Amino acid sequence: MNLYAIADEERIHAAAQVREWTRSGLLDASQGATLEAELRTDLKRTNRYLRGALFIFGTVVIAAAFGFLVVAFGVSRESVVGWSAIVAGVTACVLAQLLVMQFQLYRFGVEEAFAVWSVGLLAAGAGFLVSSGGTYGDTPELAAVVTAAVASAFVYWRFGYLYAAFAAVACAALAPFNLGLPGAERILSASVLLVVFVAARARRRANDDGFRGDDYGAIESVAWLGVYVVLNLHLPFPLKLWLYRGRIDFPAVFYWATYASIWILPLMGFALAVADKHRYMLWASLVMALATLATNKPYLGWEQHTWDPVLLGVLLIATAMGVRRWLSRGSGGHRGGFTPRPLVVSADRQAFDALGMVAIAAQPMAPRMPNEAPTVEPGRGGRSGGGGGGAEF
Amino acid sequence: MTMVERLSRWKDEGVITHAQFDRLGAIVRKDRFSVALELNALLYLGVLSIAAGLLWTVRTHFIALGDTAIVAALTVLVAVCFGYCVAHAPPYSSREVESPTAVFDYMLYLGCLVFAIELAYLETRFTLLGDSWDAYILLSAIFFFAAAYRFDNRFVLSLALSTLGAWFGFKLTKLGFRSAESLRVSALAYGALVAGMAAGLRRLDIKPHFVETHLHIAATAAFVALASGTWQGDSNLVYLAGLLALAAVSIAYGIRHRQFAFVAYGAVYPYVGISLRLTRHWGDMATLGYGVVSASAMAVLMVIVARRFGRDA
């Protein structure tokens, strides 16, 4: 069903590893060149920046073409907009497949834009169609989310885009929140995610040596993380707005069961990650553990203090240093194969280069202009002498 | 064929040595599993969390804690961090230097963040620099640049670049320039300065691995300023000419040095700027038709560039 031959994808996967090893000095340049030449395929590829630019232009083509047809034909009735979006979505998907089959494009940006927006158009079309049939409430959104889940899964199976698989998992998990079953929605959603987790885990274990194993491992980890997101009732980010629609007062049993789960899920995740040396699950577990530490006090109804982040930071640094020292003191500088030393330096270097660029935009504090500080009220503030009540630094 | 089978075949064919086979095989089979990235991520998040918590605490409780306690505590923390770095730092080198210890980079980053908090606190509470308050931002940026270069730290370099950008913005605002036009000029000046620093670094062969970071920041600032000026600015033809000239330079640089991010910048930003300028008085049909034709043409051009110059994945 996949558009690409397994042998070609295996070669591409292997070539990427050879490149990393060469950059890290594990292979010399001539060995790297020889092996990369052997692993060459006929698929047409490009680097990530041009791929991104091509995705942007492909997106503009799709959006402008659909908008042009809607405006040109004066489409305004909901049902006609819905059918137009569905036809456009199918067309975009067919075009994406034609680009791959005709020109053998592989992660080239243009065909990705067509495939990705076909999902968006089909989902929107399904929502409009259901809405035009006089069905209101959550049903149009349910139709859109279910269609998006199915279409994303199709795009993953056909093209192999991992982010499409993530989208399919996310949409499948959101569907229960549109069933009008307050109280059961989180349990249903978590159940859906658990099914995905079990299925992906089984497939990963069956393909552990192959390149597909990495994909299934990532899907398995995302599903596990999804279970956590659905069950943590105190996550402070915008997704909460969606999840809390139709919120009811949670029964005490359910509330405390979710509290137990936000501790159990990361611990189980760590156990699975260590047992299988499963990097994606390790990342998912770290994210869950951080979220648990951040939401523990709100769960218990305890007062939060301004120095809580300092304590969290100290805990993180102490944990990192402790684990590093413990692993280093094992025989040969590792324990059970786990080592704190980088093995493929270039992979870590790329991650830290990316982190360095992110750090430019995400500094923990921004310089403040003096006139931004609230004025000090007479008798309450002061530059010195112990005053300053009501003022803010 | 699995990767282990491939490695075995390459060893049998003599392409790789037995030692390489053993080492790479251990990685592929996960007999060795590095958690270096995860441990570094924890250290980075820990530093950010401590700095954010300190800032929050100082802002909220400075009355109860008192100036002396706050300044003393922050000074001690800064001294500990920099003392550690000075004690453990290897001699200066203009090339890339490996960190001497696992926490070295993070101690330096924490020291710089706490130094910024302390400086901002002192300036806000005591207005030591009077009307020249923005000088503390510039001084911070200079200090961060010095620390980044001396200790070879990319996180501190990021801090220095963003602080310098903030100084450019505040300087103009303080001088009474609050329009979008003046912000554009400020961004262009900032971009030119950072690009000039990159050129200087390359010419003097100082920390060549920092050049790319400077250029990405400079290009982004300049492209955003010129693209927005092309469709919003008063002298938009000047901006248009500048945008096209910068795009040409960026694409030529990107292809020559195989830095394809600059090719992407040179294609996407001018397209956005020119399209918004061209279509600002057009109707919906014409604009959408233009979008189909122009984006298709750009996609074809980019495919040609990608096939000719940028095949690497």
Side-chain angles (χ1 to χ4, degrees):
Chain A
M1 193 172 179
N2 196 295
L3 284 168
Y4 303 106
I6 289 177
D8 281 343
E9 290 209 272
E10 277 178 350
R11 281 164 174 259
I12 288 168
H13 191 73
Q17 284 185 296
V18 166
R19 203 169 302 134
E20 294 290 342
W21 294 338
T22 308
R23 284 178 188 154
S24 299
L26 298 170
L27 295 172
D28 64 41
S30 63
Q31 287 175 316
T34 305
L35 296 178
E36 280 201 63
E38 183 196 312
L39 294 167
R40 201 158 284 155
T41 69
D42 290 334
L43 295 174
K44 295 181 176 58
R45 309 170 61 205
T46 189
N47 62 75
R48 74 182 76 162
Y49 302 106
L50 298 184
R51 179 184 173 189
L54 281 162
F55 185 92
I56 292 171
F57 290 121
T59 298
V60 175
V61 171
I62 289 273
F66 180 66
F68 183 83
L69 292 175
V70 168
V71 172
F73 292 103
V75 177
S76 58
R77 276 179 52 204
E78 227 173 10
S79 60
V80 186
V81 173
W83 279 115
S84 304
I86 287 172
V87 170
V90 171
T91 308
C93 192
V94 170
L95 278 174
Q97 295 182 70
L98 280 177
L99 283 171
V100 171
M101 290 189 286
Q102 195 69 30
F103 301 107
Q104 294 181 298
L105 302 183
Y106 184 84
R107 313 291 192 263
F108 213 86
V110 183
E111 87 286 9
E112 287 182 84
F114 281 47
V116 166
W117 290 110
S118 73
V119 174
L121 286 165
L122 286 168
F128 273 116
L129 268 188
V130 172
S131 177
S132 69
T135 310
Y136 299 105
D138 289 341
T139 315
E141 287 176 26
L142 177 65
V145 167
V146 170
T147 307
V150 174
S152 298
F154 176 79
V155 166
Y156 172 67
W157 288 117
R158 201 78 176 126
F159 297 88
Y161 304 144
L162 195 51
Y163 53 81
F166 294 163
V169 174
C171 291
L174 285 174
F177 289 92
N178 295 286
L179 289 175
L181 298 169
E185 52 201 12
R186 282 174 186 272
I187 295 168
L188 274 175
S189 181
S191 305
V192 169
L193 288 162
L194 273 177
V195 170
V196 174
F197 167 80
V198 170
R201 182 169 174 77
R203 297 210 67 165
R204 177 180 66 79
R205 291 173 83 90
N207 292 272
D208 214 14
D209 292 336
F211 75 97
R212 285 275 180 228
D214 281 350
D215 278 12
Y216 294 128
I219 296 167
E220 174 193 354
S221 308
V222 164
W224 193 246
L225 185 61
V227 174
Y228 179 92
V229 169
V230 168
L231 292 182
N232 189 329
L233 306 177
H234 285 278
L235 276 182
F237 57 85
L239 184 63
K240 195 170 80 171
L241 295 175
W242 176 285
L243 296 180
Y244 270 51
R245 288 167 355 115
R247 172 183 173 163
I248 57 165
D249 288 332
F250 298 110
V253 173
F254 179 74
Y255 185 85
W256 292 112
T258 62
Y259 178 68
S261 74
I262 67 165
W263 286 96
I264 292 168
L265 288 169
L267 290 175
M268 283 181 65
F270 277 124
L272 294 173
V274 170
D276 294 350
K277 290 185 179 150
H278 185 346
R279 191 170 300 284
Y280 293 120
M281 187 57 84
L282 185 59
W283 291 350
S285 304
L286 282 173
V287 171
M288 287 186 279
L290 284 172
T292 296
L293 291 172
T295 54
N296 184 51
K297 276 192 167 182
Y299 246 106
L300 298 172
W302 292 357
E303 183 189 357
Q304 287 186 290
H305 300 295
T306 57
W307 53 85
D308 287 346
V310 177
L311 298 179
L312 176 65
V314 171
L315 176 68
L316 294 180
I317 290 173
T319 304
M321 294 306 299
V323 170
R324 187 180 187 284
R325 182 162 295 187
W326 182 70
L327 292 177
S328 299
R329 286 184 176 172
S331 79
H334 66 91
R335 286 183 193 268
F338 286 91
T339 173
R341 290 197 308 269
L343 296 172
V344 183
V345 179
S346 68
D348 288 358
R349 178 61 52 84
Q350 279 178 21
F352 279 98
D353 283 351
L355 201 57
M357 295 303 287
V358 169
I360 293 175
Q363 301 295 346
M365 71 277 292
R368 288 167 60 90
M369 294 166 68
N371 59 8
E372 279 184 80
T375 51
V376 180
E377 292 174 27
R380 295 190 63 209
R383 288 283 180 198
S384 60
E392 190 189 38
F393 148 58
Chain B
M1 183 183 283
T2 66
M3 201 63 199
V4 176
E5 291 165 347
R6 272 186 211 282
L7 283 172
S8 185
R9 187 164 62 79
W10 291 337
K11 183 191 70 175
D12 294 342
E13 290 171 356
V15 183
I16 62 172
T17 64
H18 283 268
Q20 285 174 322
F21 172 78
D22 290 341
R23 191 162 181 190
L24 297 175
I27 294 172
V28 171
R29 288 190 304 269
K30 296 183 181 173
D31 294 341
R32 287 286 177 281
F33 187 86
S34 170
V35 289
L37 183 62
E38 290 75 13
L39 295 179
N40 278 292
L42 283 182
L43 289 170
Y44 178 72
L45 289 173
V47 166
L48 284 189
S49 187
I50 289 174
L54 280 176
L55 181 66
W56 190 14
T57 302
V58 170
R59 285 181 64 166
T60 309
H61 299 293
F62 72 96
I63 301 155
L65 294 171
D67 293 332
T68 311
I70 289 174
V71 172
L74 294 178
T75 304
V76 168
L77 196 48
V78 171
V80 168
C81 291
F82 283 105
Y84 178 89
C85 292
V86 170
H88 290 83
Y92 173 77
S93 166
S94 58
R95 316 301 297 181
E96 189 164 7
V97 180
E98 285 299 315
S99 298
T101 68
V103 293
F104 184 85
D105 285 346
Y106 303 97
M107 287 294 273
L108 182 66
Y109 192 41
L110 178 63
C112 288
L113 292 174
V114 178
F115 176 75
I117 295 171
E118 183 170 9
L119 212 55
Y121 182 79
L122 287 172
E123 180 51 33
T124 309
R125 294 286 290 157
F126 303 110
T127 54
L128 300 174
L129 299 178
D131 287 341
S132 305
W133 58 266
D134 57 297
Y136 94 85
I137 303 174
L138 182 60
L139 288 173
S140 303
I142 292 169
F143 178 77
F144 296 151
F145 273 117
Y149 281 89
R150 169 63 187 87
F151 298 113
D152 203 326
N153 188 307
R154 285 173 199 240
F155 295 137
V156 179
L157 179 67
S158 303
L159 189 62
L161 286 166
S162 58
T163 308
L164 183 64
W167 179 77
F168 267 88
F170 284 149
K171 188 74 184 167
L172 274 187
T173 310
K174 194 184 156 197
L175 292 174
F177 296 102
R178 288 170 185 271
S179 66
E181 197 70 23
S182 62
L183 278 176
R184 271 190 281 274
V185 173
S186 173
L188 286 173
Y190 171 72
L193 177 63
V194 175
M197 288 168 71
L201 286 177
R202 177 158 284 171
R203 181 172 287 272
L204 298 170
D205 202 23
I206 296 172
K207 301 289 179 193
H209 52 290
F210 281 180
V211 169
E212 203 182 323
T213 305
H214 282 77
L215 288 179
H216 278 294
I217 301 301
T220 304
F223 269 122
V224 168
L226 290 170
S228 70
T230 301
W231 62 284
Q232 283 182 331
D234 301 330
S235 31
N236 43 32
L237 282 177
V238 177
Y239 282 116
L240 179 62
L243 183 63
L244 293 175
L246 182 62
V249 170
S250 183
I251 291 172
Y253 175 87
I255 289 174
R256 187 176 167 194
H257 294 277
R258 301 192 67 73
Q259 299 284 336
F260 290 99
F262 295 97
V263 179
Y265 293 155
V268 174
Y269 283 112
Y271 176 77
V272 173
I274 292 169
S275 298
L276 290 173
R277 178 181 156 76
L278 273 178
T279 59
R280 61 184 166 178
H281 300 305
W282 292 5
D284 289 345
M285 282 274 285
T287 302
L288 291 165
Y290 164 85
V292 176
V293 174
S294 63
S296 301
M298 285 300 294
V300 171
L301 269 175
M302 291 297 292
V303 169
I304 292 169
V305 170
R307 292 302 300 148
R308 182 146 186 195
F309 302 107
R311 292 178 184 226
D312 293 350

